[in-house]
Amino acid sequence: MTIRQHLIDPEICIRCNTCETRCPTGAISHDRNYVVNVDICNFCMRCVRPCPTGAIDNWFDVETPFTLDEQHGWQFLPPRPAAADVAPPDAFDDEAADLLARAAGAMGGAARAPASAAHPQVNVYTRADPAHATVTGNARITESGTDSDVHHIILDFGSEYFPYLEGQSIGVLPPGTDAEGRPHAMRLYSVASPRDGEKPNTNNMSLTVKRVMRSDGQPGLASNWLCDMAVGDRLDVIGPFGSTYLMPDDPTTDLLMICTGTGVSPFRAFSLRRRRTAPEPGRMYLFFGARTPEELPYFGPLQRLLQSQLHRELVYSRQPAAEREYVQDRLLQRHDLVADALRNPKTYIYVCGLRGLEEGVETAMAEICARHDLDWPALRLQMCDEGRLHIETY
Ligand SMILES: Cc1cc2nc3c(=O)[nH]c(=O)nc-3n(C[C@H](O)[C@H](O)[C@H](O)COP(=O)(O)OP(=O)(O)OC[C@H]3O[C@@H](n4cnc5c(N)ncnc54)[C@H](O)[C@@H]3O)c2cc1C
Ligand code: SF4
Ligand code: SF4
């Protein structure tokens, strides 16, 4: 069984003692090197942000943990395991970990990041010490007059650096308390921008937020609060969260992205990242479902892209005078394309959106595999193991 171990890189560490003074558990001590006691560290992350060098941000999955004596003897960190095995845990915050575990779907996606994914930071900002964001943009991105009110919201973090990768989520803290007088539960939102910012090289990000009505007819708390925000309004943000639902940095990989509604948010980030950094990237396929074109977030901007930049399959379930079509129907219709993607060991599959999506995609994949002489249960297992199948539904 592997254990995740928090380690300090002695080559980079400048021995400033900041981490030791911030650690609430006494897990960090120093002699020759600064070291972390694996039996005491509870992954609270309080030491990570204050470290001026990043030497503290190392997480290895190991069979046998390194002892304190071993850590004191190092001049360098030992050779790193595969990239997928050096990510921090998904979230150190119980609330976020619970939400992410539920979002990983009934069948479960990969428990590891793509091998070439960049190293994610998580829990940099916490409830006790949140980042303070300012809204610098808020625009509706579905047509007015339709039932689906989805907003593209831009948050600026000013001088508080908020690091994130495409595919990660942030936690938003609605102000006030619930009926029992406790602070409201955080709500997670996927980041819709690439890692270098909504505008390149800025400390900002965008979200794609749907105004939700609860089944009792009451407005959803956080989504309505966010969608009603004006430019200049401030909010508390924590995170980022998520260390597996990440994109491969290898530009030659293919991405098969399957979503409904606001599930497009991480895929906007993935495709913008590719377009900013890889002039001749691997292929990107987007299967995107909504009720109508008017209710499809980012419909206008998506129309402006060439199919060669982003192969789009836009699917509508409530078009007047047309048969209802769902994402899984279109996957089946394009079975040759999907089967080719499944056969390619460089294809990464991402599913994101409302809960019901996962089951439909699973059924479609199984049927496509059966038609093309592929073994879906075995392939699914292999893709999860290789960090190539990721599910996030909510
Ligand atoms: C990992 C993760 C990522 C998420 N990313 C996004 C995102 O990028 N954009 C986004 O808008 N939401 C996202 N969500 C959902 C978000 O966290 C909130 O649950 C949602 O905004 C409702 O919160 P609320 O306070 O307005 O509603 P509440 O007062 O908490 O009421 C919740 C009700 O709304 C339903 N609901 C939740 N989300 C939706 C939705 N998108 N469409 C329709 N019904 C919904 C729930 O089933 C429930 O009935 C994500 C959730 C998770 C777990
Ligand atoms: S993660 Fe928390 S417990 Fe572990 S060393 Fe850092 S501050 Fe201490
Ligand atoms: S805060 Fe960072 S640089 Fe300073 S002693 Fe700790 S690990 Fe080393």
Side-chain angles (χ1 to χ4, degrees), residues 231-287:
V231 169
D233 283 352
R234 309 252 298 157
L235 66 153
D236 287 350
V237 175
I238 65 176
F241 301 114
S243 58
T244 53
Y245 198 102
L246 303 173
M247 68 183 291
D249 266 6
D250 175 354
T252 64
T253 51
D254 288 354
L255 309 181
L256 175 55
M257 303 172 281
I258 306 167
C259 65
T260 54
T262 53
V264 74
S265 179
F267 305 152
R268 179 180 185 273
F270 287 5
S271 55
L272 274 171
R273 170 75 186 166
R274 276 276 169 99
R275 283 174 26 230
R276 279 186 195 170
T277 57
E280 285 178 21
R283 285 162 297 183
M284 294 192 285
Y285 304 101
L286 177 69
F287 285 76

Side-chain angles (χ1 to χ4, degrees), residues 315-392:
V315 187
Y316 306 113
S317 61
R318 299 285 192 286
Q319 274 284 64
E323 287 240 338
R324 288 187 179 190
E325 189 186 13
Y326 296 93
V327 166
Q328 54 268 34
D329 301 324
R330 185 64 67 88
L331 286 167
L332 283 170
Q333 216 185 87
R334 298 278 183 267
H335 60 93
D336 285 335
L337 180 156
V338 176
D340 279 352
L342 289 173
R343 278 201 186 89
N344 178 0
K346 288 188 128 189
T347 297
Y348 288 72
I349 301 182
Y350 299 85
V351 178
C352 191
L354 289 182
R355 273 278 143 79
L357 178 64
E358 186 190 0
E359 198 185 326
V361 172
E362 283 288 338
T363 311
M365 290 298 179
E367 202 172 318
I368 292 166
C369 283
R371 278 198 217 176
H372 287 264
D373 209 17
L374 290 163
D375 179 352
W376 174 240
L379 186 58
R380 188 185 200 294
L381 214 64
Q382 184 190 344
M383 292 189 81
C384 283
D385 213 40
E386 294 169 358
R388 296 196 295 120
L389 174 64
H390 299 273
I391 295 164
E392 194 160 272

Side-chain angles (χ1 to χ4, degrees), residues 70-125:
E70 281 176 295
Q71 294 177 51
H72 278 302
W74 291 341
Q75 280 188 314
F76 317 96
L77 278 180
R80 284 172 184 273
D85 292 333
V86 294
D90 236 3
F92 299 87
D93 178 295
D94 286 348
E95 221 179 328
D98 190 42
L99 286 168
L100 283 173
R102 276 191 273 147
M107 302 283 291
R112 55 170 53 204
S116 67
H119 177 79
Q121 296 205 43
V122 299
N123 236 45
V124 176
Y125 293 91

Side-chain angles (χ1 to χ4, degrees), residues 145-329:
T146 60
D147 283 345
S148 180
D149 185 2
V150 180
H151 285 235
H152 183 69
I153 299 174
I154 302 171
L155 305 181
D156 189 278
F157 291 90
S159 58
E160 287 178 312
Y161 177 55
F162 198 103
Y164 62 87
L165 292 176
E166 307 79 13
Q168 286 193 295
S169 304
I170 59 155
V172 162
L173 301 177
T177 53
D178 64 16
E180 276 85 50
R182 291 174 307 212
H184 287 299
M186 77 150 101
R187 290 351 187 231
L188 289 181
Y189 293 93
S190 310
V191 179
S193 310
R195 65 192 78 173
D196 58 335
E198 175 68 3
K199 186 174 157 191
N201 306 317
T202 48
N203 185 24
N204 69 0
M205 71 167 63
S206 62
L207 305 177
T208 313
V209 181
K210 180 181 160 83
R211 189 188 292 278
V212 163
M213 296 308 281
R214 295 178 184 161
S215 45
D216 60 4
Q218 293 300 308
L221 176 82
S223 59
N224 283 270
W225 172 63
L226 285 169
C227 288
D228 287 337
M229 283 201 150
V231 169
D233 283 352
R234 309 252 298 157
L235 66 153
D236 287 350
V237 175
I238 65 176
F241 301 114
S243 58
T244 53
Y245 198 102
L246 303 173
M247 68 183 291
D249 266 6
D250 175 354
T252 64
T253 51
D254 288 354
L255 309 181
L256 175 55
M257 303 172 281
I258 306 167
C259 65
T260 54
T262 53
V264 74
S265 179
F267 305 152
R268 179 180 185 273
F270 287 5
S271 55
L272 274 171
R273 170 75 186 166
R274 276 276 169 99
R275 283 174 26 230
R276 279 186 195 170
T277 57
E280 285 178 21
R283 285 162 297 183
M284 294 192 285
Y285 304 101
L286 177 69
F287 285 76
F288 188 1
R291 286 154 50 105
T292 61
E294 293 75 23
E295 293 192 13
L296 187 118
Y298 304 111
F299 182 77
L302 278 171
Q303 298 310 306
R304 292 194 279 278
L305 292 175
L306 299 173
Q307 281 290 95
S308 57
Q309 289 175 298
L310 175 66
H311 178 108
R312 294 171 309 279
E313 299 283 345
L314 306 182
V315 187
Y316 306 113
S317 61
R318 299 285 192 286
Q319 274 284 64
E323 287 240 338
R324 288 187 179 190
E325 189 186 13
Y326 296 93
V327 166
Q328 54 268 34
D329 301 324

